[in-house]
Amino acid sequence: MSMNYRLADMLALIKNGQQARLAQVRCHASKLLGNVLEVLKSEGYINDYKKVTDDANHSAFEIELKYHEGERVIKEIKCISKPGRRVYCEISRLPKFFNGLGIAILSTSKGVMSDFEARQANVGGEVLCSVF
């Protein structure tokens, strides 16, 4: 099975892993996914992640999912940009997700960052996903 959009695949793995109460999930590794995972870690949505390689020398990320008092931390995770429809937004027009309680992850000219960091840096870009 070939995967066309690895970001959507990783977000689905995280969502399904938390619904199944798994301690960790494993997904393919890439620079973009590593940057998105770094934002999720810095915002407190996952515990940690690490890059591992298997016997066939394929790289993957092991993501440690986070729970608070038995409840999953990520209530909703949704892919905004897709290969057929990229969503770009100026920072002045970027909406607040879930009344400011959730975050959006953007790919900007200064790297992948959360919407809060993008507002501070005053840069817009492609809206990759939203997390609550």
Side-chain angles (χ1 to χ4, degrees):
M1 178 174 134
S2 72
M3 286 175 253
N4 292 328
Y5 196 45
R6 292 188 187 233
L7 177 64
D9 181 51
M10 182 186 75
L11 298 179
L13 282 171
I14 291 172
K15 179 181 175 182
N16 293 339
Q18 284 211 317
Q19 286 180 346
R21 306 273 191 237
L22 298 178
Q24 64 183 9
V25 292
R26 181 180 278 204
C27 71
H28 294 283
S30 71
K31 284 184 182 180
L32 175 68
L33 297 183
N35 292 335
V36 170
L37 287 172
E38 188 61 39
V39 171
L40 288 174
K41 181 182 173 185
S42 67
E43 294 290 329
Y45 287 104
I46 60 173
N47 280 333
D48 200 10
Y49 70 97
K50 62 182 175 180
K51 191 173 184 178
V52 295
T53 56
D54 61 2
D55 295 335
N57 206 18
H58 294 119
S59 297
F61 286 121
E62 280 188 358
I63 307 163
E64 292 180 28
L65 302 176
K66 188 174 184 178
Y67 300 94
H68 179 69
E69 296 177 357
E71 288 293 317
R72 54 190 176 157
V73 173
I74 298 176
K75 303 292 184 209
E76 184 176 325
I77 189 165
K78 184 178 176 184
C79 193
I80 305 289
S81 280
K82 298 175 181 169
R85 182 175 182 262
R86 302 289 185 189
V87 178
Y88 296 94
C89 193
E90 297 174 8
I91 199 61
S92 61
R93 295 181 182 219
L94 183 68
K96 292 191 185 259
F97 290 91
F98 302 100
N99 289 331
L101 296 175
I103 64 164
I105 298 178
L106 284 82
S107 176
T108 67
S109 59
K110 295 185 179 180
V112 177
M113 59 182 70
S114 69
D115 59 347
F116 179 73
E117 294 170 337
R119 282 186 176 92
Q120 286 182 334
N122 198 24
V123 292
E126 181 183 355
V127 184
L128 298 174
C129 61
S130 65
V131 184
F132 173 66

